Amino acid sequence: MSYDEMYSYLEARVDALKTNRTGDERQTVDEVFDKQTLMAIYGMMTSGILDSVKYPISTGKEGNVFYAEEEDGEPLALKIFRTSTSTFKRIGKYIEGDPRFRGLTGNRRKMIYAWTNKEYRNLQRYCEAGLPVPEPVAFSKNCLAMEFIGDENGPSPLLKDTVLDDPDDIYDEAISFIIDGWQEAHLVHGDLSEYNILMMDGEPIFIDVGQAMTADHFNSKELLVRDIENINRFFKNRGADIIDVARIMEEVLSGGDDDDDQDEDYDDEDYDDECDHEEGDE
């Protein structure tokens, strides 16, 4: 099948490719859907992971999230990381010193493919620890398919946009995520705030875990303190009864054991231009 034929196949299934879009929507298309990204999406469609990509859900610093559907119409979220130089520069600080990137070398695009893999693996870790994050489905190159957090009316709102009936309960759940994330998943989120928490049926779901670091990262405790301070700041403004940062840190570190971390090294061969993964493949 030629590229033009593949593009036509995609255009019929990706609403954002339609040419009647203007302004910000057109800019989103131009930034996200380069040729190699389109080929990754095509592969996910022909392998049965995706059937269609409908519309943008959110635009972040590193990528855009789209509402997508499986062949049976079930919703998915498709996160597409931009492959620009500016994206690479932003993620660089979260790659340096991560033992899972030990030995990884190569160009910008390869590193962003590795970043996509990293978010997939971080989501797996959190899920395996029983923590509330979107369930990962598959990734290919700079595209990550995961559970859609929302309903027929659209995506769930961010914590920052939610009126909380009982801020103390949600605060406790956020602190539990920090503690259990360190002790059970051996991860620190690293960018936790009201902008990275969705509220689904009154419960918090934690998102954007690509930058999450392993507990043995040289900067992990600094990131841990920042996460706690961010959560304390937000919930204090919402009237919650805040726990002192030092007390939370003591609780986090008292049950953690950095030596138990089970990270595997990343390998250049895992991140060539054919890098992809479907759930269940190892």
Side-chain angles (χ1 to χ4, degrees), residues 4-61:
D4 287 342
E5 288 172 321
M6 286 188 285
Y7 188 89
S8 296
Y9 179 94
L10 285 164
E11 191 170 33
R13 291 166 175 79
V14 184
D15 283 359
L17 293 179
K18 293 178 181 177
T19 57
N20 62 350
R21 295 182 180 270
T22 59
D24 291 341
E25 290 179 326
R26 185 71 253 170
Q27 182 178 357
T28 295
V29 172
D30 293 340
E31 288 180 350
V32 173
F33 294 104
D34 60 30
K35 181 176 179 178
Q36 290 181 313
T37 299
L38 289 176
M39 294 303 95
I41 296 172
Y42 177 80
M44 296 178 89
M45 287 180 173
T46 56
S47 63
I49 299 167
L50 300 176
D51 180 71
S52 59
V53 180
K54 297 297 187 181
Y55 55 84
I57 295 173
S58 66
T59 301
K61 295 186 292 295

Side-chain angles (χ1 to χ4, degrees), residues 39-168:
M39 294 303 95
I41 296 172
Y42 177 80
M44 296 178 89
M45 287 180 173
T46 56
S47 63
I49 299 167
L50 300 176
D51 180 71
S52 59
V53 180
K54 297 297 187 181
Y55 55 84
I57 295 173
S58 66
T59 301
K61 295 186 292 295
E62 288 86 34
N64 301 71
V65 182
F66 294 82
Y67 178 87
E69 291 182 352
E70 298 179 285
E71 290 181 339
D72 59 2
E74 287 297 307
L76 286 174
L78 178 66
K79 188 170 189 177
I80 302 176
F81 292 92
R82 291 187 292 274
T83 56
S84 65
T85 301
S86 59
T87 301
F88 173 74
K89 289 179 178 177
R90 278 194 294 269
I91 70 175
K93 64 181 178 179
Y94 293 104
I95 292 174
E96 181 184 358
D98 190 324
R100 295 174 299 172
F101 279 89
R102 190 180 298 118
L104 178 64
T105 59
N107 60 27
R108 180 183 72 247
R109 187 175 290 271
K110 179 184 286 189
M111 191 68 76
I112 290 170
Y113 292 172
W115 181 263
T116 309
N117 182 311
K118 182 172 184 271
E119 176 143 11
Y120 180 90
R121 294 191 189 190
N122 286 344
L123 287 171
Q124 280 187 319
R125 275 178 169 240
Y126 279 126
C127 282
E128 289 166 1
L131 298 177
V133 299
E135 182 178 355
V137 175
F139 71 88
S140 178
K141 297 183 172 67
N142 58 319
C143 300
L144 171 62
M146 69 188 98
E147 177 186 4
F148 172 71
I149 307 299
D151 55 27
E152 64 276 5
N153 297 315
S156 295
L158 290 170
L159 175 61
K160 75 179 186 68
D161 300 322
T162 305
V163 176
L164 300 178
D165 295 330
D166 191 341
D168 284 320

Side-chain angles (χ1 to χ4, degrees), residues 178-184 186-187 215 220 224 252-253 256 258:
I178 293 172
I179 295 172
D180 294 340
W182 180 278
Q183 296 180 357
E184 304 298 329
H186 304 290
L187 291 173
S220 61
L224 187 62
V252 172
L253 299 177
D258 292 356

